[in-house]
Amino acid sequence: DAGITQSPRHKVTETGTPVTLRCHQTENHRYMYWYRQDPGHGLRLIHYSYGVKDTDKGEVSDGYSVSRSKTEDFLLTLESATSSQTSVYFCAISGRQGVSSYEQYFGPGTRLTVT
Amino acid sequence: AQSVSQHNHHVILSEAASLELGCNYSYGGTVNLFWYVQYPGQHLQLLLKYFSGDPLVKGIKGFEAEFIKSKFSFNLRKPSVQWSDTAEYFCAVNEPSGYALNFGKGTSLLVTP
């Protein structure tokens, strides 16, 4: 267990509403990532963070924003949810002292349904 | 951006059969390579990794993978699968210049008793 949790684990929301997903880690990893998993697409990177207040876009960042105000938490926000954002969202972490920064550990996932 | 290809999308094997899942990547420079496994309803777990050195790497649960640089491949193998190996398997690659991972689309493995 890499000390990573996600909340909520399941959410159903309506099109057009804002949604925030939270990733929380307890082992002081420097890097945090948000991926989405869709059938036939594997996992695709949405955004990542390389430190507090330092974030960058991934492959599928349109419609998503992120924030990291402290080391432990990385928030993913859908400003106005659309049905195409129905997916399973995974948070990942890497960069704890003594472990390669390339080695990522994944959270349990959040299943988001946008109706 | 580099791409990662997994050739087999669905594989069905009987218990005790041997497994080989293919993975190829497009980037020609130095890479780090990973195989992750996702059991039904669970999160991704690291099976094994290659950074440098011996191109044959051993991971957890009897899995191994071979890095063949000339073929841009990192194939996953297991000599004898078990029913409990039923899962989805993902190959992933990152470049030393960045820490994000590029994933293949996954291979769904079903092992029948």
Side-chain angles (χ1 to χ4, degrees), chain A residues 9 30-31 33 35 37 40-45 48 59 90 94 100-109, chain B residues 32 34 36 38 41-46 49 51 88 90 94-106:
Chain A
R9 295 293 312 280
R30 177 181 175 185
Y31 303 95
Y33 315 80
Y35 295 88
Q37 182 180 27
H41 290 277
L43 279 83
R44 293 177 291 175
L45 181 68
Y48 64 98
E59 177 188 356
F90 285 99
S94 72
S100 169
S101 296
Y102 299 111
E103 194 168 320
Q104 293 186 20
Y105 301 95
F106 284 79
Chain B
N32 300 308
F34 305 84
Y36 282 85
Q38 185 178 31
Q42 296 189 24
H43 63 284
L44 276 75
Q45 301 173 41
L46 181 64
K49 61 197 177 195
F51 292 157
E88 190 148 16
F90 294 95
N94 68 10
E95 308 159 37
S97 61
Y99 296 116
L101 291 174
N102 293 310
F103 282 87
K105 294 184 178 181

Side-chain angles (χ1 to χ4, degrees), chain A residues 18-81:
Chain A
V19 177
T20 296
L21 308 182
R22 180 182 183 234
C23 177
H24 179 77
Q25 56 127 338
T26 59
E27 296 187 351
N28 204 32
H29 289 261
R30 177 181 175 185
Y31 303 95
M32 300 184 75
Y33 315 80
W34 278 107
Y35 295 88
R36 59 177 290 174
Q37 182 180 27
D38 304 288
H41 290 277
L43 279 83
R44 293 177 291 175
L45 181 68
I46 305 171
H47 282 279
Y48 64 98
S49 169
Y50 46 96
V52 173
K53 298 193 189 309
D54 293 322
T55 65
D56 206 347
K57 296 180 179 180
E59 177 188 356
V60 291
S61 59
D62 287 349
Y64 302 95
S65 62
V66 290
S67 66
R68 190 171 179 197
S69 58
K70 49 185 178 178
T71 300
E72 309 89 83
D73 292 323
F74 192 33
L75 304 180
L76 177 70
T77 298
L78 292 66
E79 301 290 348
S80 178

